[in-house]
Amino acid sequence: MVVLIGLDLLGGILTNATNSAKRRYHRQAPGARRARLLFVGAHVLHLAAVGLLVLGGDRGWTLGNTALLLSAAVVVEFTPVHLKRPAAMAGYSAAAVVNLFWLPVPSALAWFATLFFLKLLVCHLVPEAPLERRRDV
């Protein structure tokens, strides 16, 4: 189960970090914001699976990370576009520190929270930045 969760996280990080995924999730469409928040909210199931099944029913860890995820996601989503990346990095950093000091897990699972919050806060909720190709002169 842990291997599958790890593979899902790595695939999600790589997929959500692409410009095409960012264009899709951040398009100007009715309900796009709601869809992004529902996508993040659905990942509470990942937290529940890890906390309750892998960590032997650790409700404190599950509820703490759920609160971190949902509050940071709402902050990022409702932050002006030019501040979304720093807001996402602040939420990501806060989650990393909280998980290191107040919601510890066995060392074999220390990677989980870092990758989980990277995928959702930084890769998924931050829109595409305009890219300009350099012209060789």
Side-chain angles (χ1 to χ4, degrees):
M1 178 174 191
V2 174
V3 172
L4 292 176
I5 290 171
L7 290 173
D8 175 67
L9 284 178
L10 290 175
I13 289 168
L14 297 175
T15 302
N16 283 283
T18 65
N19 287 331
S20 58
K22 290 183 176 291
R23 281 191 300 270
R24 166 97 173 115
Y25 286 120
H26 294 273
R27 67 193 181 282
Q28 296 297 319
R33 171 176 281 159
R34 182 174 183 269
R36 286 189 298 273
L37 288 172
L38 285 172
F39 179 83
V40 172
H43 283 77
V44 169
L45 294 173
H46 282 76
L47 292 173
V50 171
L52 301 177
L53 301 175
V54 178
L55 297 175
D58 191 339
R59 290 186 183 137
W61 184 92
T62 304
L63 294 174
N65 276 299
T66 297
L68 282 167
L69 175 65
L70 297 179
S71 60
V74 168
V75 167
V76 172
E77 192 57 43
F78 286 94
T79 295
V81 70
H82 68 285
L83 295 173
K84 283 189 187 290
R85 189 175 317 275
M89 291 304 294
Y92 172 68
S93 299
V97 169
V98 167
N99 274 278
L100 283 172
F101 294 105
W102 292 289
L103 299 173
V105 295
S107 60
L109 290 173
W111 54 269
F112 175 80
T114 307
L115 296 180
F116 183 79
F117 284 94
L118 176 66
K119 171 187 173 179
L120 296 169
L121 298 181
V122 178
C123 296
H124 181 68
L125 290 177
V126 175
E128 174 186 29
L131 298 176
E132 224 177 272
R133 292 187 186 219
R134 251 180 56 188
R135 294 186 184 171
D136 292 329
V137 183

